[in-house]
Amino acid sequence: MLTPEEAETLVGHRVGGVCPFAVNEGVSVYLDQSLKRFDAVFPACGSGNSAIELSIPELERYSGFSAWVDVCKGWQEA
């Protein structure tokens, strides 16, 4: 796990505002499968007090994501 300082340096956003947009060059964006259960998601937008509402197709388009992954455990039971 990255420290808050490492996250900001490597990704380009402070913890609390880390988002899939405008990340540093060379940073890959992966979307977790568990997001697909929602009609809308609210990713952070670069600060701890900003977010934007997106549909899943919009998130895919605007994030420039590399792939869908499955990293959350137990979300199907929730």
Side-chain angles (χ1 to χ4, degrees):
M1 189 65 84
L2 297 174
T3 67
E5 295 78 18
E6 290 170 327
E8 185 173 5
T9 299
L10 295 172
V11 178
H13 299 290
R14 288 184 173 178
V15 171
V18 174
C19 68
F21 318 111
V23 295
N24 289 339
E25 188 173 328
V27 173
S28 297
V29 173
Y30 296 91
L31 303 177
D32 190 77
Q33 293 283 344
S34 65
L35 293 172
K36 290 183 177 182
R37 71 183 189 261
F38 301 110
D39 293 327
V41 294
F42 297 84
C45 291
S47 70
N49 62 350
S50 63
I52 186 170
E53 181 177 359
L54 296 174
S55 67
I56 296 301
E58 289 172 328
L59 179 63
E60 290 176 326
R61 184 175 0 171
Y62 300 134
S63 68
F65 78 108
S66 296
W68 284 97
V69 296
D70 188 8
V71 296
C72 291
K73 292 182 180 180
W75 65 268
Q76 292 96 340
E77 293 87 37

